[in-house]
Amino acid sequence: MADILDWTNADLDQLDMAAYQDKADDMAARLREETGAGRLPFLTMPYEAALKKQLAGLKGYLDGFEHMLLLGIGGSALGARALQKAFHPGQDRPGHDGKWLWIADNVDAYALSDYMDRLPPEKTVVVTVSKSGGTIETVGQYFIIKEWMKERLGDAWAGHMLLVTDEKQGFLRGEVEAYGIKALPVPDNLGGRYSVLSAVGLVPALFLGMDIDALLAGAREVADVLADPELNGETLAKTQAFRLAAWGAALMDKGFTEMIFFAYIPLWASFGDWFAQLWAESLGKKGKGSQPVPAVGVTDQHSVNQMFMDGVRNKACLFLTCPSLPAGPKFPADLPDQFAYVRGKDFGELIQAEGLGTRMALSKNGVPLVEIRVGTDGPRQAGKLIGLLGAATILTGWLMGINPLDQPAVELGKRLAKARMNADGLAEEKADLNGFLTAQRDLREF
């Protein structure tokens, strides 16, 4: 079954798509330049062959553990969680007896304490993911878990640690050299939100037994065309990634300032959280962008869908479906008459009907919608989805006139947090922080 984008309800007539489609030649030239200079490893994946060899060499090592504790935040965790939920769902169900992946992606003292109290260190590998090696939320957990491992395992502690970081520099690279800890590199120019199909996401995927080759092959179905050194505007204009980008940019021009990601593949719901970071951190700049809103079908039909359909008309939607989801058990034949319409039918038919109904209702209520319909919910299709949305996001940013690869506003919050912890330097941030706290005087009990 083919993987397709259904543009039927995209409301293209009300959008100035031509203004962006006419930029296909310019965008093709920019892709040739950026990929040729090695600045878009998300598309070119020059690291793939070496990474596959490294992962093959790690498999026996990882097979020796029952638990993986992943320390990471943002793009260092969201992709791994999406893959875990999609392809290793047993951990969330009764009677699980397979591998366990625990993701510590927040400054959560409750959770970190529980990990140290309940995980068996002799059966646990700790994977710390930070490209810079200086992300305090992640490295701070590393400091604490490192001491825990030393106390429990003695000299064997380093054999239970794996670092995914810059290949040449940073604090974690220093730890590799000082203690002989196993490590895999994060490629240069590969930002966290684009890194799921590098060691960042593929190490936990390998640990859980996923088909890594299929994930990468799916992404290449999208990326290889865009990374072709002979790419021209005519070819680019025919790609769905570019069409999505033109659609996204044209929507913002018309005041559509929210982009819903509605997932009607239950196990793929966490891809909505991954997409939210991808879209928001890439495009929310210079007063521009649209707010990504992850939603889960059927669950959110009974919560936020009222706002989607009858609230402010500023929403567009990417609607993710799969017509070949499992049939599941059948409804009994002896149901009350009021439920006669489901007698003897497969339970799985219900989500298909719910998805169709919601898609139609959104369209009827003026929500521009593109359906992303994958033929199966397998790893190749997941890799293809990652490639499609990542490429479309990059191209949307370029069409908007912003850089989709940086995140300057995020860095301010990080510097102010370090100032609050009294890190060296940061004199300006410390002065701003003191002024801000002094001004917090309108305090009321509730």
Side-chain angles (χ1 to χ4, degrees):
M1 198 174 294
D3 309 310
I4 66 171
L5 266 62
D6 186 344
W7 290 88
T8 306
N9 299 300
D11 283 353
L12 299 180
D13 290 343
Q14 69 169 308
L15 304 175
D16 188 6
M17 291 280 287
Y20 293 106
Q21 290 169 329
D22 289 346
K23 296 183 179 181
D25 286 337
D26 292 340
M27 293 296 102
R30 186 162 184 180
L31 278 168
R32 293 195 304 270
E33 177 185 354
E34 296 291 314
T35 55
R39 291 191 288 266
L40 288 178
F42 171 76
L43 295 178
T44 56
M45 290 192 279
Y47 57 83
E48 181 180 358
L51 178 59
K52 282 183 176 180
K53 289 182 181 179
Q54 292 167 322
L55 292 174
L58 274 180
K59 188 177 185 307
Y61 166 75
L62 293 177
D63 285 346
F65 299 102
E66 294 179 8
H67 299 270
M68 175 179 286
L69 176 57
L70 175 64
L71 311 180
I73 197 167
S76 298
L78 288 166
R81 177 173 283 115
L83 293 175
Q84 176 193 27
K85 298 294 185 182
F87 301 113
H88 195 72
Q91 188 170 333
D92 297 326
R93 297 173 182 168
H96 176 66
D97 61 359
K99 299 279 190 177
W100 301 80
L101 173 64
W102 310 99
I103 300 178
D105 64 344
N106 203 349
V107 182
D108 183 347
Y110 288 115
L112 193 61
S113 296
D114 275 348
Y115 293 139
M116 292 190 293
D117 289 342
R118 299 174 186 272
L119 284 178
E122 69 281 359
K123 298 178 181 179
T124 301
V125 59
V126 179
V127 179
T128 305
V129 183
S130 172
K131 164 69 173 171
S132 67
T135 308
I136 188 57
E137 301 91 345
T138 298
V139 177
Q141 292 187 105
Y142 168 78
F143 292 145
I144 294 167
I145 294 296
K146 175 181 173 181
E147 289 305 305
W148 172 66
M149 280 290 195
K150 283 183 173 181
E151 291 171 3
R152 299 290 295 274
L153 299 177
D155 292 341
W157 72 272
H160 290 248
M161 310 292 271
L162 176 62
L163 303 180
V164 181
T165 189
D166 189 272
E167 191 166 16
K168 299 177 182 177
Q169 60 188 0
F171 170 77
L172 291 180
R173 180 52 56 181
E175 292 287 278
V176 172
E177 296 167 358
Y179 301 107
I181 298 172
K182 292 181 183 295
L184 288 174
V186 180
D188 290 342
N189 300 315
L190 189 65
R193 58 190 180 274
Y194 296 98
S195 69
V196 58
L197 295 182
S198 72
V200 172
L202 296 186
V203 167
L206 176 67
F207 174 74
L208 295 175
M210 295 177 203
D211 188 342
I212 288 169
D213 289 341
L215 284 165
L216 289 166
R220 279 212 170 275
E221 287 188 48
V222 174
D224 280 354
V225 175
L226 303 174
D228 186 341
E230 303 299 322
L231 178 69
N232 58 43
E234 182 179 359
T235 300
L236 177 62
K238 294 176 182 177
T239 68
Q240 295 305 297
F242 180 74
R243 200 175 190 205
L244 271 180
W247 182 66
L251 282 167
M252 289 179 239
D253 288 343
K254 290 291 185 179
F256 290 95
T257 56
E258 295 186 15
M259 179 63 77
I260 304 163
F261 185 89
F262 221 144
Y264 271 78
I265 306 175
L267 292 183
W268 287 25
S270 289
F271 278 108
D273 298 321
W274 169 81
F275 172 75
Q277 186 206 10
L278 174 72
W279 192 257
E281 203 166 76
S282 298
L283 305 182
K285 293 158 193 171
K286 299 181 179 179
K288 300 180 181 181
S290 63
Q291 178 65 44
V293 182
V296 180
V298 171
T299 303
D300 286 327
Q301 286 178 213
H302 295 266
S303 58
V304 293
N305 203 34
Q306 172 66 33
M307 177 62 76
F308 295 165
M309 292 213 268
D310 205 25
V312 180
R313 292 289 187 262
N314 66 338
K315 299 165 184 65
C317 183
L318 292 170
F319 201 87
L320 179 65
T321 67
C322 177
S324 62
L325 294 177
K330 288 187 180 297
F331 288 102
D334 58 347
L335 295 178
D337 287 345
Q338 71 186 98
F339 301 109
Y341 60 93
V342 297
R343 287 175 182 163
K345 293 181 180 176
D346 296 328
F347 181 66
E349 285 187 61
L350 188 55
I351 195 168
Q352 302 295 348
E354 297 272 8
L356 176 59
T358 301
R359 182 160 54 91
M360 289 178 63
L362 286 167
S363 299
K364 281 180 171 291
N365 280 274
V367 178
L369 182 149
V370 173
E371 181 187 7
I372 304 173
R373 189 185 311 154
V374 293
T376 69
D377 59 340
R380 184 184 68 82
Q381 285 73 21
K384 204 169 177 180
L385 180 72
I386 290 166
L388 173 70
L389 295 178
T393 301
I394 291 170
L395 289 165
T396 303
W398 288 350
L399 290 173
M400 293 165 59
I402 57 102
N403 179 0
L405 303 175
D406 66 358
Q407 53 281 335
V410 175
E411 301 305 318
L412 174 59
K414 292 179 180 180
R415 293 196 303 274
L416 289 169
K418 290 179 180 179
R420 172 61 179 81
M421 299 297 288
N422 204 31
D424 289 340
L426 302 172
E428 183 177 346
E429 287 81 358
K430 288 176 182 178
D432 287 346
L433 188 65
N434 289 334
F436 182 81
L437 294 174
T438 301
Q440 304 300 297
R441 293 174 180 165
D442 191 2
L443 309 177
R444 315 289 176 89
E445 287 191 16
F446 68 95

